[in-house]
Amino acid sequence: MKDSATAATPTLSKKPRMLLVGMPGADSSFYEMNIAQLPQGPRLHFLEWLFDALDMSSTNRRRIRLALKLENLFNPSRKTPYMGMRLIEYNLRDTLDISLMEYPKSNRWIVKHLKKNSDIAIVGMGIGCENRVYQAKKLCAEIRKARPDIKIILGSYGASSGKKLGVLTPADGTVLWDSEEEREEKKKKGLDFYKGEGVHDIRLWLRDVAGIDAGDPNTPLVSEAIADSGSTSSTGWKQWVKGRLGFVTMPKDSHKLVSAIGCSNKCGFCNTSKMFNREKTYLYKDAAKIFVPMETVYDRNAARPDYPPEATFFLMDENFMKDEKVMSACGMINFLDTAKELCGYIEQSGKNIHFGTFSDTRSLVNVREKDGDFKSLVRGGLTSIWIGIESHGDVFDKRGGATPEMVKSIVDELQSLGVVVIGSFIPGLPYHTEGPTQMFADEGLVKEEIRQSADLTPEEVESVFSELKKEREKSGRYDRLNIWEDFEWWKSLRTGARQVMSHSITGIVGLHKHMFRFSDYQFGHKFIPGYNESHIDGRRLEEIDEMMREGFYRENGPVALSSLLVMWQGFMNLKDSENDAEVRAATFNYWMVRRNIQRVMLASFAFNDRVFTKCSDTFLNRLATLFDQVGRYTPPDTAIHRKYQAVFNMYDQMNSSRSKAVAQKMADAFIRRHGKGIHETPVTGGVKEPAAAGIVV
């Protein structure tokens, strides 16, 4: 990632200079903002008792917990690149001299930089979240005061929301997004419109406003693999300290690769669908072109003696495996076919390339119906998949007829193969209540509607009603669903990672200002007073949201660890396979766990329930089983495994022998305390075999 120092270096160029800038103070942690919501660590018993004794407000409790940082103990934090800005830079580098400040220090720092670099003619401001709109407006005013000659353009979700609400006006800058009404008006006049996609819209703005030829705005975008920061180890004195503590580990490869922009689904809670007018822009015509940058990264990594032989990506596409044919700027495309072709390229290459992506349940149902299982995806490198599970019922019609039981079987099968399922769950849906669950809110009214629709006899009405009830029971449809029953089902899925996001009308859909007062910690499809559609009071829904996040932590443990448990499950089930690609997947999962296991052992003190809040016995037993097995099993002897081992040893030798002894002692104590039922059959020589054959669940 490019830092501020790089951005501040002036360059000699005749091309117009442009500064792309994120919002100062924005949370840069990918996991914290999207998946691993707090708590991801323990809470102190005595502190919670003190809160209760003082009858402290939830806001003050949260502030104290955040200050202690215990809730972040198991929260991997790394800066994630602004993918939209990276696409702009990559696609417009021949037209503009672009510099990036993705996470600037402050408004003042930006203004000072612009004063120092008077040749910067354009500022592009990415407002990623709606709660940053007023800050962005203030920054625009400060820039205007310091540099009245500069042109300001604003993009992303926050910018479109600010325009919709009338907070951001032409006096602040040009918002590169047009509402549906503006689009229709421009279409009538034969004009192009801003559609929220940065490269297209900046090309259009450069042509129509700045008078700069940047090519046809509809030119297909080009994407490249962007490395996440924090994917390499520290150096110098920090590395020495980490070694004394036993926290040195080999690097983990991590990249983002944008394969499509926008989404064609119609989920009312999501900004992406609305912002891009339910349209999707594909960046690749076929799998071969997606595979090229992936293979390039792998070949570079494999050539390094100090780096693990792997390349991992998260493919940015809201529904990568959607089974539908569409016409795009790249031509006719079916992304389910493309996804399967990509898996084929990865498998046939024999290279240790892996990826995660997004999908809906309907697409996964289609894969399993065609292939019989999900092994083809795993052999093709799939290691994580983000699924909008949302609720027991198919509220947004994205399951293709899959019942709740089928959803659970899909999650179970994927995770048995080591694929971490990231499940998103939505409390506060229109049918949620804290009252009783009802298949029909008013059975009499339903029966009367049936009778009137076909003039049926009472017996015929009862027969039709009975069939309707059976159909609803099978699909999990309700008029009223107790929110806590839904939560119990969510927990039972035991997804490796999860996201809780209270249902609300988001910024570019509803006209309101309340959400702009929220912090990054609170923001993310959160409850907004006056825009709650469920049968639960808004303030109560806010409480439920936090209770559910804590409930997930207690039941399934922190996301970082529950994800490792899924990976270990995949290793145990695939390590003895006769298929080379499945062995490769098992080896990858093994080393994902092995590189982190000592740090997890050292942090196991956080599960001491005499001091901290208790996690479930089921989770603690699964973690104890992992501690027991990780020292007893290894992958088959392959070239990839040997390279992993060599690189691991290179970094592990930096850890002090004392830290290793302490870690093992803590793990042994943890096993004794929580390892009830662990079968410890001693085995010797080679790859260790489990005491019982079969699938590990």
Side-chain angles (χ1 to χ4, degrees):
M1 181 175 295
K2 300 187 178 183
D3 56 23
S4 302
T6 303
T9 303
T11 58
L12 296 175
S13 173
K14 294 182 180 180
K15 293 182 289 187
R17 288 196 67 191
M18 180 180 188
L19 173 66
L20 290 176
V21 62
M23 295 309 300
D27 191 333
S28 62
S29 169
F30 172 73
Y31 282 121
E32 186 173 319
M33 283 293 290
N34 290 278
I35 307 171
Q37 303 149 319
L38 299 182
Q40 291 300 318
R43 292 177 177 175
L44 288 164
H45 282 318
F46 85 87
L47 196 59
E48 299 302 312
W49 293 333
L50 183 62
F51 290 161
D52 292 338
L54 297 175
D55 195 23
M56 189 175 293
S57 69
S58 59
T59 300
N60 287 332
R61 293 181 188 216
R62 186 184 301 125
R63 285 172 177 165
I64 294 173
R65 290 177 188 140
L66 286 172
L68 290 174
K69 298 189 181 300
L70 273 175
E71 287 193 319
N72 264 317
L73 183 64
F74 295 105
N75 193 1
S77 179
R78 64 175 186 265
K79 286 188 177 181
T80 186
Y82 273 77
M83 295 307 296
M85 289 186 183
R86 296 302 185 96
L87 281 173
I88 292 167
E89 180 197 33
Y90 193 68
N91 283 269
L92 298 179
R93 60 178 59 171
D94 292 337
T95 303
L96 300 171
D97 180 5
I98 300 175
S99 54
L100 293 179
M101 285 186 199
E102 293 174 302
Y103 298 99
K105 301 173 183 177
S106 63
N107 286 14
R108 182 181 178 184
W109 198 95
I110 295 171
V111 172
K112 183 178 179 181
H113 176 75
L114 292 172
K115 284 182 176 179
K116 182 178 179 181
N117 295 270
S118 59
D119 57 336
I120 294 177
I122 306 165
V123 171
M125 197 179 300
I127 314 172
C129 286
E130 289 89 335
N131 64 332
R132 295 286 176 181
V133 169
Y134 287 109
Q135 179 189 2
K137 186 176 182 69
K138 182 179 179 181
L139 177 56
C140 288
E142 293 176 3
I143 292 173
R144 292 270 185 226
K145 184 177 180 181
R147 289 281 311 276
D149 60 309
I150 213 161
K151 292 182 173 65
I152 301 175
I153 55 178
L154 306 116
S156 198
Y157 302 107
S160 53
S161 294
K163 178 179 177 179
K164 183 90 173 181
L165 291 168
V167 177
L168 295 176
T169 68
D172 301 305
T174 302
V175 174
L176 300 183
W177 179 82
D178 282 331
S179 65
E180 291 185 29
E181 294 79 11
E182 289 173 312
R183 295 179 189 205
E184 289 302 317
E185 186 65 27
K186 288 185 176 181
K187 284 180 183 178
K188 290 177 183 177
K189 296 178 180 179
L191 301 175
D192 292 324
F193 56 83
Y194 299 126
K195 56 185 183 180
E197 189 278 288
V199 177
H200 167 278
D201 292 348
I202 291 179
R203 280 180 173 146
L204 182 58
W205 180 86
L206 287 170
R207 185 191 72 188
D208 294 349
V209 178
I212 299 172
D213 182 13
D216 183 356
N218 294 308
T219 301
L221 281 71
V222 179
S223 181
E224 66 172 346
I226 304 296
D228 285 318
S229 69
S231 58
T232 57
S233 298
S234 305
T235 56
W237 69 270
K238 289 184 178 180
Q239 189 83 330
W240 181 87
V241 172
K242 287 172 67 175
R244 298 306 92 194
L245 297 174
F247 289 158
V248 175
T249 188
M250 66 177 169
K252 175 191 175 301
D253 188 69
S254 178
H255 288 77
K256 300 286 192 307
L257 182 60
V258 181
S259 55
I261 297 171
C263 183
S264 58
N265 286 340
K266 300 177 181 179
C267 304
F269 63 85
C270 183
N271 274 354
T272 300
S273 177
K274 183 70 176 177
M275 179 170 176
F276 293 98
N277 202 34
R278 300 189 181 96
E279 295 177 354
K280 193 170 182 177
T281 301
Y282 293 94
L283 275 60
Y284 293 96
K285 183 178 180 180
D286 53 52
K289 288 184 171 59
I290 302 177
F291 180 67
V292 168
M294 301 173 86
E295 184 177 41
T296 299
V297 171
Y298 176 79
D299 290 344
R300 182 175 65 237
N301 292 346
R304 291 177 55 181
D306 63 337
Y307 205 80
E310 65 187 22
T312 65
F313 304 84
F314 197 88
L315 295 181
M316 306 297 287
D317 183 324
E318 294 289 330
N319 198 352
F320 182 61
M321 288 184 279
K322 190 165 186 177
D323 189 10
E324 68 174 6
K325 285 189 176 182
V326 296
M327 176 59 72
S328 72
C330 298
M332 187 65 73
I333 192 168
N334 180 305
F335 239 62
L336 177 58
D337 294 341
T338 302
K340 295 179 73 173
E341 289 171 8
L342 176 63
C343 289
Y345 278 112
I346 292 173
E347 179 179 356
Q348 293 162 20
S349 73
K351 297 179 179 181
N352 196 30
I353 298 172
H354 301 272
F355 70 93
T357 190
F358 299 88
S359 178
D360 60 20
T361 304
R362 179 190 287 111
S363 302
L364 293 169
V365 168
N366 290 338
V367 171
R368 192 158 66 171
E369 285 179 350
K370 292 178 180 180
D371 295 354
D373 57 31
F374 296 119
K375 284 193 173 181
S376 62
L377 300 180
V378 173
R379 289 194 292 267
L382 182 68
T383 55
S384 68
I385 192 159
W386 194 320
I387 306 175
I389 297 172
E390 283 123 20
S391 180
H392 191 268
D394 186 8
V395 180
F396 300 103
D397 191 28
K398 297 192 298 184
R399 292 187 184 165
T403 64
E405 291 74 22
M406 290 174 65
V407 172
K408 181 166 179 23
S409 72
I410 286 171
V411 172
D412 287 346
E413 183 179 345
L414 284 167
Q415 297 200 149
S416 74
L417 298 171
V419 178
V420 177
V421 173
I422 307 163
S424 63
F425 306 101
I426 306 180
L429 289 165
Y431 69 175
H432 274 153
T433 176
E434 286 197 272
T437 294
Q438 295 174 290
M439 190 73 68
F440 301 96
D442 189 335
E443 289 191 7
L445 179 61
V446 175
K447 291 178 180 179
E448 180 60 22
E449 289 175 349
I450 293 172
R451 186 191 67 77
Q452 292 180 1
S453 66
D455 193 22
L456 303 176
T457 66
E459 291 77 14
E460 291 171 329
V461 169
E462 287 297 331
S463 177
V464 173
F465 179 77
S466 178
E467 290 300 316
L468 179 61
K469 191 172 182 178
K470 288 179 182 177
E471 182 183 328
R472 281 201 167 198
E473 286 175 346
K474 182 179 179 181
S475 63
R477 290 181 58 204
Y478 305 89
D479 282 352
R480 302 280 189 275
L481 178 62
N482 182 278
I483 194 169
W484 295 108
E485 289 182 23
D486 221 359
F487 183 52
E488 289 303 313
W489 183 69
W490 299 345
K491 289 191 297 182
S492 73
L493 296 176
R494 215 159 68 182
T495 56
R498 61 268 174 184
Q499 177 196 54
V500 177
M501 53 181 194
S502 288
H503 186 253
S504 65
I505 304 298
T506 50
I508 59 175
V509 182
L511 298 177
H512 53 78
K513 298 183 180 179
H514 302 72
M515 68 193 318
F516 298 130
R517 294 200 297 268
F518 288 167
S519 67
D520 275 344
Y521 169 78
Q522 294 170 297
F523 181 76
H525 302 294
K526 291 283 290 180
F527 157 71
I528 301 155
Y531 285 85
N532 171 27
E533 295 183 335
S534 76
H535 300 274
I536 302 171
D537 174 76
R539 300 296 178 189
R540 173 60 178 161
L541 183 58
E542 185 81 7
E543 294 174 359
I544 289 173
D545 183 279
E546 293 202 20
M547 291 167 68
M548 286 182 169
R549 297 183 187 199
E550 182 179 0
F552 265 125
Y553 172 79
R554 293 195 181 196
E555 181 73 18
N556 296 335
V559 164
L561 272 57
S562 55
S563 297
L564 290 181
L565 291 172
V566 171
M567 295 173 192
W568 188 255
Q569 188 177 331
F571 163 69
M572 292 295 287
N573 287 330
L574 295 175
K575 65 183 179 62
D576 300 316
S577 172
E578 295 182 358
N579 181 283
D580 290 344
E582 291 177 13
V583 170
R584 194 158 53 246
T587 303
F588 174 80
N589 282 326
Y590 173 86
W591 283 105
M592 283 294 293
V593 174
R594 186 72 180 86
R595 66 177 18 121
N596 291 298
I597 197 65
Q598 179 163 307
R599 292 187 290 183
V600 176
M601 289 175 173
L602 289 167
S604 63
F605 74 90
F607 299 110
N608 185 332
D609 56 21
R610 295 169 186 160
V611 181
F612 303 108
T613 49
K614 178 177 170 57
C615 286
S616 70
D617 291 335
T618 300
F619 165 74
L620 295 173
N621 183 261
R622 293 177 71 204
L623 186 58
T625 303
L626 172 62
F627 286 165
D628 172 67
Q629 292 178 342
V630 77
R632 299 197 295 131
Y633 299 94
T634 58
D637 184 22
T638 62
I640 289 176
H641 172 57
R642 291 193 294 273
K643 174 69 181 294
Y644 265 123
Q645 187 70 65
V647 176
F648 176 83
N649 291 343
M650 184 186 307
Y651 288 91
D652 190 51
Q653 67 182 358
M654 302 179 193
N655 290 316
S656 65
S657 57
R658 178 172 296 180
S659 69
K660 295 177 185 179
V662 170
Q664 190 58 56
K665 186 175 181 180
M666 293 177 73
D668 292 341
F670 192 92
I671 293 169
R672 288 193 299 272
R673 185 174 179 83
H674 301 291
K676 183 178 180 181
I678 293 179
H679 194 104
E680 295 194 38
T681 302
V683 284
T684 57
V687 177
K688 315 295 191 298
E689 297 296 334
I695 293 294
V696 177
V697 296

